Amino acid sequence: MAIPPIPPRDHAPPDDPTRLADGLCCAPGTPFLRWLVRHVARELECDWVIAWERVGPAWRSIRIAAASQHGEPFDQPLELEMAGSPCELVYTHGHCVWARDVQAAFPDLAILKQLAVESYVGLRLVDAAGRALGHLTLLHGAPCPDPEGWLAKLRQFEVRVAGELSSRRAVLELEELVAASDGRGGRDTLLELSRGLAHTLQVRACFICELLTERPHHVRTSAITVDGAAIAGGEADLSGTPCGVVYRQPLFLVEDRLAERFPRWPLLELLPAQSYLGIEARSHDGKLLGHMSVLHDRPLVPSIAELPILRLYADRAAMEIERRRAAAQQLAAERKLFDARKTESLGLLAAGLAHDLNNRLTSVLGHVSLLHGDAAPTTREETTRHLEAIEAATRAAADVVQQMLACGGHCIVDAAPHDVSQLAAEALEPLLAELPPGVQVERDLATQLPRIAADGARLRQAIEVLLRNAIDALPAGRGRLRLATGRIAIDASAREALRFTAELDDGEHLFVEVADDGHGLDEATLARVFEPFFTTRSDGQGLGRAVADGVARGHRGALMARSSLGRGSSFRIVLPLAPARGVAGQVAPPPAGRSAAPLRGLALLVDDEPMVRAATARMLERLGVAVQAASGGEEALRLLERYGDRIDFVLLDLTMPRMSGEELFRRMRATHPRLPVVLMTGFSAPDAFERFQDAGLAGFLQKPFGLLELERCLQRSLRGDGPAAHRVAG
């Protein structure tokens, strides 16, 4: 870079003591450094006075912090490599003096020729730890008249200028620290601030405390480091501590004999210290948030340059505390909103269940009342109609329960290999006749897709639900409906870019997509479309998408939703190629008709519900099976011990008080390992089979069930070659 020529000398008289005192007391930082170089240049009538600071990788470069050209400010930036210059020798020897012929000593250094420098005096500047921070340089266009005097003049300001450079370096290190920790935030940043201030001030310990709003005059130690290592903090009372003084005055210093001033401070028992320095931490609007303090095992006398460093770190700590409080408040608000949404969802769920079940129960009670009383039917045909209506209403109520299980992903009953493209086509086929004439259907069903293990009926139902919702979303019965299948690769980037209702494993998946170009959904509505009984239609039930989502999750898959107002919606059922959950161990589907072989033998029936126990016993007896009934696990074990091998099979309820069905099963297996056990439960088959995996369960009976379902289950479950099977199934 071009250096301006040296202007004519200004023979100003040397500064008097008053002006010198004013300069030393001026504001720290760059204003002081500018005053210093100008003062020294005029005092010594030196052409150039420069304060350099070390910068760059491994501190091999120097940069002008402040400079004076013949008593006037020189504000142009300049950065140089130290190698091959007299400045390099300054850092090696502490100081360097060439009273004359400095260009001859360094002939390759162009800047000396450009400035016409004849003499050079340099003094190294170090911090309290001995780290070289920079140096002061005197450059003159003539031989130096008094080399030792000039060097002594620089030594007058050595400590103060070193403090200023230390402060500048601390600011740079703080900026780097903040940049590195901004991604982490919270306690990590506070620990780095604590560690950074201790390193900068060369003290043993530093800690950052936050005032507790719920406990007056108490603080929480958010970060504490001793010799660079983080240690655990806690809550503390400010009484009898120097920290308490900080909250009465912004800055508090105990230079020595700390234990004598605060003998009851518990921290001194863990960390003996002689000196203390604390500063308050305030928010941007002046609110007192906490404080930042340092401890040392020797007397502590901070320089005027170190106090701004302390202020910088305290301000940054206050920002972090404020940000953490704001994050905590936001989290609390989000939790409150989540709880409110959850309560609202539970309310919708309860209201929806009550509505649907009460409708079915009204039908049941209505027909039961007609079978009693004065208006009782007089013909067998009329009685049969009432009983059939009661059965239909009961099965409809059971279907509502199954839909709720599906919403929770507990719906896989009959898993077999299926082609998802074929299932999608089968779901669309019955709807084609119902479509308004203005709806265009696009099919993009992939061929030769791998077959996956799935519950075909449930998956077909989920696709049909999405198709019906898409048709209803089309305005005035006009628009485009798209049904597609294919492959999709799931990885971290796909999970981040797409919105899934459940976590998916990495790898290749299959998808079924239903899309429309209808009204679309806003973000708030899209976030709630999978909640049970939530609907945007006045005539909607609100279970459709929730059931579809549950079916997808029941197959270890997920539902993906994309929508925006005015641009339509797209819903994808994404399914893994691996077998669906609950497939292993599933029993074959029941046969279509009644078995010709009659049932017989002795059954042990275990259920804690008296109504269920009585009805099931009556059905077993109707099928020709004798029954011993137990209301719980202990009674069942007594009956098993009493009847022993005469018991041919067990009908066992899964959920019972005191002794669960699972525990009773294990205990029966220990004494009667070949005794067939059929599990009864209101839970889904996959959940039950997972709990009894590899335990030898003979079969599974889903509640509610009737006589036909009971007979089919027993015929299917008790087939075999053992003596019990022959006694039961003939």
Side-chain angles (χ1 to χ4, degrees):
M1 94 174 224
I3 304 295
I6 300 176
R9 289 182 181 273
D10 176 13
H11 295 281
D15 289 327
D16 59 29
T18 302
R19 291 179 61 189
L20 179 61
D22 290 343
L24 289 173
C25 296
C26 73
T30 301
F32 167 76
L33 293 177
R34 287 177 174 173
W35 170 87
L36 169 71
V37 294
R38 188 170 64 252
H39 166 78
V40 173
R42 292 177 176 179
E43 183 84 2
L44 300 179
E45 297 186 349
C46 180
D47 294 334
W48 287 87
V49 180
I50 305 175
W52 301 91
E53 57 184 340
R54 297 181 74 184
V55 295
W59 310 107
R60 293 191 181 97
S61 301
I62 52 176
R63 179 176 60 200
I64 290 180
S68 172
Q69 180 185 18
H70 196 38
E72 298 299 327
F74 177 77
D75 294 327
Q76 297 187 38
L78 179 62
E79 185 171 322
L80 301 172
E81 292 288 332
M82 288 193 297
S85 73
C87 302
E88 187 177 27
L89 297 178
V90 171
Y91 292 99
T92 303
H93 302 290
H95 67 274
C96 185
V97 176
W98 265 270
R100 62 178 64 245
D101 300 327
V102 67
Q103 290 188 44
F106 300 92
D108 297 329
L109 196 60
I111 190 172
L112 295 180
K113 295 179 182 179
Q114 188 177 3
L115 299 181
V117 175
E118 177 69 17
S119 56
Y120 175 100
V121 177
L123 177 67
R124 183 182 61 190
L125 302 170
V126 298
D127 62 10
R131 296 183 302 171
L133 304 171
H135 67 287
L136 287 171
T137 299
L138 303 176
L139 304 175
H140 198 44
C144 178
D146 183 10
E148 293 301 324
W150 282 23
L151 185 61
K153 184 66 174 180
L154 294 182
R155 291 193 186 280
Q156 292 180 12
F157 304 99
E158 178 181 6
V159 175
R160 174 66 191 275
V161 178
E164 295 295 347
L165 295 183
S166 177
S167 177
R168 291 168 67 93
R169 178 174 291 188
V171 172
L172 292 175
E173 291 175 347
L174 178 59
E175 291 174 350
E176 293 173 357
L177 180 152
V178 170
S181 60
D182 266 348
R184 301 191 300 269
R187 186 170 182 268
D188 285 339
T189 299
L190 294 177
L191 280 174
E192 292 301 323
L193 288 171
S194 175
R195 190 177 288 116
L197 181 59
H199 174 73
T200 299
L201 299 184
Q202 294 298 300
V203 296
R204 285 203 60 196
C206 179
F207 54 93
I208 301 170
C209 293
E210 178 182 356
L211 270 176
L212 296 178
T213 55
E214 66 276 12
R215 298 184 66 189
H217 212 63
H218 282 73
V219 294
R220 178 189 300 111
T221 304
S222 302
I224 179 169
T225 56
V226 178
D227 297 328
I231 64 174
E235 296 184 4
D237 189 347
L238 292 173
S239 302
T241 71
C243 303
V245 182
V246 177
Y247 293 94
R248 298 194 297 271
Q249 61 188 60
L251 184 71
F252 182 58
L253 170 66
V254 179
E255 296 182 6
D256 199 0
R257 299 180 181 180
L258 179 62
E260 294 181 11
R261 298 250 339 239
F262 300 93
R264 298 181 180 178
W265 192 18
L267 184 61
L268 295 180
E269 299 176 4
L270 303 174
L271 181 64
Q274 291 188 32
S275 53
Y276 169 93
L277 176 61
I279 186 171
E280 63 182 15
R282 291 184 177 271
S283 65
H284 67 282
D285 57 357
K287 183 179 180 180
L288 189 57
L289 301 176
H291 72 283
M292 191 170 192
S293 300
V294 298
L295 291 170
H296 202 35
D297 54 7
R298 293 187 295 276
L300 182 64
V301 183
S303 69
I304 189 173
E306 290 173 333
L307 297 182
I309 299 175
L310 188 64
R311 177 75 272 164
L312 281 172
Y313 273 85
D315 288 345
R316 186 63 182 88
M319 288 174 58
E320 204 59 49
I321 293 173
E322 193 172 22
R323 183 166 70 174
R324 188 167 63 171
R325 285 187 177 181
Q329 292 172 357
Q330 181 179 357
L331 180 61
E334 289 174 353
R335 285 176 176 170
K336 187 175 181 180
L337 178 61
F338 174 78
D339 289 341
R341 288 278 298 276
K342 183 170 65 174
T343 301
E344 182 183 359
S345 296
L346 289 174
L348 281 173
L349 178 63
L353 275 175
H355 175 269
D356 286 359
L357 291 178
N358 282 335
N359 283 341
R360 276 67 175 178
L361 291 174
T362 298
S363 175
V364 171
L365 290 175
H367 286 285
V368 168
S369 65
L370 291 174
L371 290 171
H372 293 291
D374 297 335
T378 57
T379 64
R380 182 178 181 84
E381 291 76 10
E382 190 176 355
T383 300
T384 300
R385 285 197 300 271
H386 285 301
L387 293 175
E388 288 175 346
I390 291 171
E391 182 180 12
T394 304
R395 293 190 182 279
D399 188 61
V400 172
V401 175
Q402 287 299 314
Q403 290 189 63
M404 294 312 303
L405 286 173
C407 292
H410 309 286
C411 62
I412 311 306
V413 176
D414 173 23
H418 284 284
D419 181 344
V420 294
S421 293
Q422 181 180 348
L423 290 176
E426 292 172 357
L428 175 64
E429 189 63 30
L431 301 180
L432 293 176
E434 306 174 13
L435 288 178
V439 175
Q440 300 176 3
V441 179
E442 296 181 8
R443 298 178 183 87
D444 186 11
L445 303 179
T447 58
Q448 298 181 344
L449 290 176
R451 295 167 72 86
I452 62 169
D455 185 331
R458 292 292 183 184
L459 193 53
R460 194 183 301 109
Q461 176 196 15
I463 300 171
E464 183 179 343
V465 162
L466 296 181
L467 286 168
R468 289 189 180 277
N469 284 340
I471 295 169
D472 291 338
L474 296 175
R478 302 183 63 84
R480 182 176 58 87
L481 177 69
R482 183 173 184 270
L483 177 64
T485 59
R487 300 171 182 257
I488 181 174
I490 300 299
D491 54 19
S493 60
R495 279 191 294 270
E496 184 176 350
L498 304 174
R499 182 194 300 234
F500 294 104
T501 56
E503 286 295 324
L504 295 173
D505 296 331
D506 286 353
E508 191 175 33
H509 290 63
L510 302 184
F511 72 84
V512 181
E513 181 181 34
V514 176
D516 66 77
D517 59 357
H519 297 294
L521 304 170
D522 58 27
E523 280 293 324
T525 305
L526 188 62
R528 302 193 61 188
V529 292
F530 301 114
E531 294 180 13
F533 296 105
F534 176 81
T535 179
T536 57
R537 294 160 42 204
S538 59
D539 59 342
Q541 186 185 33
L543 278 176
R545 293 190 186 97
V547 169
D549 177 39
V551 170
R553 286 186 284 115
H555 289 81
R556 291 195 301 129
L559 203 62
M560 186 193 78
R562 287 185 296 191
S563 185
S564 59
L565 281 177
R567 302 184 64 180
S569 303
S570 168
F571 291 88
R572 275 189 179 187
I573 300 174
V574 182
L575 304 169
L577 290 177
R581 181 171 65 89
V583 172
Q586 294 283 11
V587 296
R594 296 273 300 263
S595 171
L599 294 170
R600 57 180 182 268
L602 176 62
L604 174 58
L605 171 62
V606 189
D607 198 300
D608 62 302
E609 287 288 343
M611 290 187 295
V612 175
R613 195 166 61 247
T616 306
R618 292 283 298 274
M619 287 188 285
L620 286 170
E621 291 168 352
R622 175 73 65 89
L623 294 173
V625 178
V627 180
Q628 287 294 327
S631 60
E634 294 296 340
E635 185 180 0
L637 291 175
R638 288 195 296 269
L639 289 173
L640 183 61
E641 183 180 2
R642 177 180 175 184
Y643 288 93
D645 291 339
R646 284 180 288 172
I647 293 178
D648 297 297
F649 67 93
V650 179
L651 269 178
L652 173 63
D653 184 33
L654 174 61
T655 307
M656 297 186 296
R658 293 181 293 279
M659 185 186 300
S660 69
E662 188 174 359
E663 181 184 353
L664 177 57
F665 177 82
R666 309 296 180 194
R667 294 179 64 173
M668 289 190 299
R669 266 285 179 267
T671 57
H672 296 75
R674 300 190 63 188
L675 181 62
V677 177
V678 176
L679 188 70
M680 303 182 297
T681 182
F683 292 111
S684 64
D687 293 334
F689 273 114
E690 282 184 0
R691 295 172 66 173
F692 289 84
Q693 190 174 12
D694 301 326
L697 192 67
F700 171 81
L701 185 58
Q702 177 81 56
K703 293 180 179 179
F705 55 84
L707 183 64
L708 182 60
E709 290 85 2
L710 176 61
E711 182 183 14
R712 287 176 176 173
C713 176
L714 293 180
Q715 291 282 7
R716 182 176 64 241
S717 304
L718 301 176
R719 282 194 215 109
D721 297 327
H726 285 290
R727 292 200 302 267
V728 173

